[in-house]
Amino acid sequence: MLAPTPVETPHDKPYWDAAREGVLLLAPGGRSPGWGSDGATDPAVWRRSAGLGRVFTYTVVERSFYENVPAGTILAVVELDEGVRVTAHVIEAADGIAIGQRVRARFVDRDGMPLLVFAPDDAA
Amino acid sequence: MFDQARIVGAFESPRRKTDLHPFELFREVVDGALADAGLTRAEVDGLCVTAGDVAEGGSSEDVIEIAEYLGLKPTFFDSTDVGGCSAIYQAGVAAAAIEAGLAEVVVVAYAACPRRYPFYPPITWPIGPGAHEMPYGYSSPSAYALFAQRHMHQFGTTPEQLAQIAVVARANAALNPDALMREPLTVADVLASPGVSTPLRKLDCCVVTDSGGAVVLARADRARDLARRPIRILGFGAQVTAVHFSQQADFVTTPGAVTGARAFGRAGLSPADVSVAQLYDAFSVTPLLALEDLGFCAKGEGGPFVESGAIAPGGSVPINTDGGGLSSNHPGKRGVFALIEGVRQLRGDGPGHRVPDPQVSLVHGIGGFFSAAATLLMGND
């Protein structure tokens, strides 16, 4: 089983266009970065996130059900400084992470679509 | 809360492994529950099932498929799928239907054979909101682990306290001849089991079995003449919240906080009145959160409460008396078994530990990734 590749729609096109440029946009309505609400097809109503946040909770996958989410993957919920939470992987954390740890957003390519991930950033 | 509805029949299949098609298991448990009640299929006018996943045998019109298979044409029906607590929710809905005069005899049934048909559909699709969630690899263990991790961080809950919940379930299962796992279990055994998703280990997770069960509800005047002493539904509450991790409120509170308050409120009862409780145990952390959210202890105090022995036989609220999902059975959704054991405790014929002279039996389940909950309080008529 493979964890799926996201499918873009006109509703969240602004998010994916920005993600391809390495920019994290927050949707109107403040629910979660990629979630659109009224008017979301207009790129002008999206806010740009500074890309910084803290780990709210996490788990290290030890027995994986997905070939493309290997054992050792850190699955986390990150609370951005803007107050919005997002599901993501935390990478470059060989020593593990902690709740409350500062992390910085980055986009990596997976199967042709940008995947939002975070890396520890103690200096942030 | 429900003057007209009574629970009049209950049946759990003794199977834990089978090559039968799930629909045959549905048939077995529906007929078993009807026989328990002293009723026949011809008298059934309501049907509630959840059968839309591959392991359950059906698709999007699952209740019609099951009705067809059983030769029923119900005029009241429900196939709400809110995960594991679906059957508990459906028992409340069935009681409301009987109360409103929409039905007289309602069967609530569930069966699944995940060992042969193990495909689990994704919780959401990777388009729309799910596009920002599903690519990360959602799984039940990881979802529950996110809660356990946060609870440990916020309240100091320990792996030993979670393991104790599995140990209590196993001790009860040891008495249940149909339970899958009956060998003695210690906290050390749980902590030594392979890791699944931190902080949860294999023995913090439920078993996987092919299983089925059903309960029958009937109008009170019908119930009077049937085979078993009727059981009253004293209170009921249900809620759905969110399906994606990013939308969870705080990772330490479940919808049980709302459903418990609603059920106790309508019943005019409090946790102190509860003699025995079935607290859905897909994972060890689930009953711990339920104890807090239902009000058996304060938020954050679940670990010490478990350590005190309160949930073990002889304690103030023995839980999961048949061995639960952690040791007896879990085919994908376990709500119907919590209902059945809640009934069996009131009747005094539970297969595991039997609580002496129970007055109020609580049945509580969550669904999905703490996305739903249903709480039901019952007592002898």
Side-chain angles (χ1 to χ4, degrees):
Chain A
M1 198 156 57
L2 290 171
T5 303
V7 177
E8 182 178 323
T9 70
H11 190 75
D12 56 12
K13 184 176 191 302
Y15 175 88
W16 298 109
D17 286 344
R20 281 182 273 266
E21 304 302 317
V23 171
L24 178 60
L25 287 188
L26 305 176
R31 294 285 301 283
S32 190
W35 289 44
S37 60
D38 293 343
T41 52
D42 176 2
V45 305
W46 292 64
R47 290 184 295 152
R48 183 175 173 141
S49 167
L52 293 171
R54 289 188 185 281
V55 173
F56 189 81
T57 187
Y58 73 98
T59 182
V60 181
V61 176
E62 294 186 296
R63 196 209 147 194
S64 177
F65 300 96
Y66 299 96
E67 286 128 53
N68 55 351
V69 181
T73 299
I74 303 174
L75 177 58
V77 175
V78 172
E79 186 164 281
L80 297 170
D81 290 348
E82 292 88 1
V84 170
R85 294 211 198 120
V86 59
T87 305
H89 291 160
V90 177
I91 63 170
E92 297 173 3
D95 297 331
I97 62 169
I99 289 175
Q101 179 156 5
R102 292 292 279 166
V103 289
R104 181 184 295 276
R106 194 189 304 173
F107 286 96
V108 300
D109 181 274
R110 195 179 77 184
D111 298 325
M113 284 293 282
L115 186 74
L116 173 65
V117 298
F118 288 82
D121 192 338
D122 299 319
Chain B
M1 181 172 177
F2 295 111
D3 288 329
Q4 292 306 311
R6 301 288 185 275
I7 299 173
V8 298
F11 178 81
E12 175 187 317
S13 172
R15 299 178 198 272
R16 295 297 182 265
K17 303 180 185 197
T18 182
D19 288 337
L20 291 176
H21 185 273
F23 286 7
E24 254 307 292
L25 208 40
F26 268 99
R27 186 206 57 73
E28 175 189 310
V29 300
V30 169
D31 285 346
L34 289 170
D36 182 65
L39 286 163
T40 65
R41 284 194 217 173
E43 299 169 272
V44 174
D45 62 352
L47 178 67
C48 300
V49 299
T50 315
D53 289 352
V54 171
E56 298 156 355
S59 186
S60 54
E61 297 187 349
D62 49 338
V63 67
I64 311 176
E65 293 189 71
I66 301 295
E68 175 190 85
Y69 195 81
L70 298 175
L72 300 175
K73 294 188 167 68
T75 45
F76 168 73
F77 44 89
D78 185 282
S79 60
T80 301
D81 185 345
V82 287
C85 63
S86 298
I88 303 170
Y89 174 73
Q90 287 172 331
V93 169
I98 291 170
E99 203 73 13
L102 284 177
E104 292 189 11
V105 177
V106 184
V107 171
V108 176
Y110 181 79
C113 302
R115 293 175 58 257
R116 177 169 287 276
Y117 307 96
F119 171 75
Y120 296 110
I123 199 83
T124 68
W125 304 112
I127 183 167
H132 307 277
E133 310 277 346
M134 300 310 294
Y136 297 101
Y138 269 46
S139 73
S140 285
S142 289
Y144 288 71
L146 291 172
F147 270 73
Q149 195 86 268
R150 182 73 200 182
H151 202 276
M152 289 178 170
H153 170 82
Q154 208 165 317
F155 302 114
T157 304
T158 66
E160 289 80 2
Q161 288 164 341
L162 292 187
Q164 186 59 30
I165 291 164
V167 168
V168 168
R170 180 66 63 89
N172 292 335
L175 305 168
N176 178 355
D178 295 328
L180 184 77
M181 311 277 276
R182 303 179 61 201
E183 316 83 59
L185 185 73
T186 66
V187 167
D189 292 333
V190 178
L191 299 183
S193 61
V196 177
S197 198
T198 63
L200 298 178
R201 318 197 74 81
K202 181 166 199 262
L203 291 173
D204 287 303
C205 305
C206 62
V207 298
V208 177
T209 61
D210 305 323
S211 307
V215 297
V216 184
L217 292 88
R219 210 176 58 205
D221 58 346
R222 300 288 305 277
R224 234 189 330 263
D225 303 320
L226 296 180
R228 308 297 302 258
R229 181 177 175 188
I231 284 165
R232 277 182 164 272
I233 297 174
L234 307 171
F236 170 72
Q239 187 187 41
V240 297
T241 56
V243 72
H244 291 121
F245 298 161
S246 68
Q247 302 305 302
Q248 279 293 339
D250 60 12
F251 288 91
V252 295
T253 311
T254 76
V258 166
T259 68
R262 289 172 72 82
F264 281 117
R266 293 302 297 267
L269 295 171
S270 74
D273 297 311
V274 172
S275 317
V276 58
Q278 309 310 318
L279 305 179
Y280 199 113
D281 54 345
F283 299 89
S284 57
V285 68
T286 328
L288 185 142
L289 295 168
L291 289 163
E292 296 177 352
D293 290 340
L294 296 172
F296 289 99
C297 63
K299 177 52 66 184
E301 290 296 308
F305 188 77
V306 166
E307 268 177 340
S308 75
I311 63 168
S316 58
V317 57
I319 72 169
N320 303 346
T321 40
D322 62 346
L326 287 168
S327 282
S328 178
N329 62 6
H330 197 296
K333 298 180 177 97
R334 166 156 227 291
V336 76
F337 306 109
L339 281 170
I340 292 165
E341 178 62 6
V343 166
R344 291 188 299 214
Q345 286 296 315
L346 289 171
R347 290 171 167 183
D349 58 16
H353 169 69
R354 289 182 188 171
V355 172
D357 193 32
Q359 299 302 303
V360 175
S361 182
L362 181 147
V363 173
H364 173 78
I366 44 77
F369 304 147
F370 295 110
S371 303
T375 309
L376 193 146
L377 292 157
M378 43 173 105
N380 280 311
D381 200 356

